[in-house]
Amino acid sequence: MTRLLPASARTAVPWKNGGGVTREIAAWPEGSGMDDFAWRVSLAEVGADGPFSAFPDVDRTLTVVEGAGMDLTVGGTRVLVNSPYVPSDFRGDLPTDGRLLDGPVVNLNVMWRRGAVATAPTVAVVRGRLRVCAGALVVALDGTAEVAGLTLGPYDAVQLGDEEAVLHARGRTAVIGLSLPADAPLA
């Protein structure tokens, strides 16, 4: 079943380490917490330099959707995330510190637990017309989009059910391909 996930219905929740806030868009299994999700998609508001929360056995894709970006140190390696709408992958269990490049940012975060999904999620930021696969999560970022008969404003999302759909993205829109175990039902 296709689900509309409006931005207005999300509440700000403190980060796992208390250093900022995040607004969960979707997670699986539904109702899972920070320690037992198979995958999780959220928007994080970063207003200050500091450490990221540690997530054992979790990989992450971070995409800057507002602001100039961040200079990360992930397990001692520098990762410059300064191109808006370009996904960057890193391990969530390595010590990670972030320094803002020029003021606050909003990041689209996709996290998945190693071994809990068949394949890693794919994250693409697109504009225009695109056929989207069943089960995908679509998040409008800086404009409007239409998919599965629904119109999305900025940060509204749709999780597709077991049917593919055509996306008409008038602004940048994230399409996140999600993988579940074979016996898991689509949302």
Side-chain angles (χ1 to χ4, degrees):
M1 178 172 146
T2 295
R3 294 187 308 155
L4 175 64
L5 305 164
S8 62
R10 297 183 202 124
T11 56
V13 176
W15 291 349
K16 185 177 173 183
N17 72 1
V21 297
T22 186
R23 297 173 195 275
E24 183 176 288
I25 297 170
W28 187 83
E30 242 182 276
S32 57
M34 294 292 189
D35 296 322
D36 61 351
F37 63 81
W39 58 258
R40 181 177 188 271
V41 178
S42 65
L43 287 162
E45 298 170 18
V46 184
D49 298 346
F52 277 42
S53 300
F55 287 93
D57 301 317
V58 170
D59 288 322
R60 301 175 70 156
T61 298
L62 181 145
T63 306
V64 174
V65 297
E66 284 184 36
M70 302 181 74
D71 189 356
L72 304 180
T73 302
V74 181
T77 301
R78 183 175 185 216
V79 178
L80 190 59
V81 184
N82 64 344
S83 297
Y85 307 108
V86 176
S88 295
D89 299 327
F90 61 98
R91 292 178 62 110
D93 48 9
L94 293 177
T96 301
D97 288 296
R99 185 179 60 79
L100 297 170
L101 296 178
D102 188 19
V105 298
V106 175
N107 296 319
L108 177 69
N109 282 297
V110 179
M111 300 188 293
W112 64 98
R113 198 163 310 281
R114 287 179 219 118
V117 294
T119 60
T122 56
V123 179
V125 177
V126 301
R127 282 188 185 176
R129 186 175 186 271
L130 177 74
R131 185 165 299 281
V132 180
C133 65
L137 183 66
V138 176
V139 184
L141 298 175
D142 71 348
T144 62
E146 292 179 13
V147 64
L150 300 167
T151 300
L152 307 178
Y155 298 142
D156 288 339
V158 166
Q159 185 170 12
L160 296 177
D162 57 4
E163 303 253 336
E164 63 180 30
V166 175
L167 167 67
H168 298 277
R170 290 179 183 77
R172 290 178 192 93
T173 301
V175 177
I176 303 159
L178 301 164
S179 171
L180 303 175
D183 59 349
L186 292 173

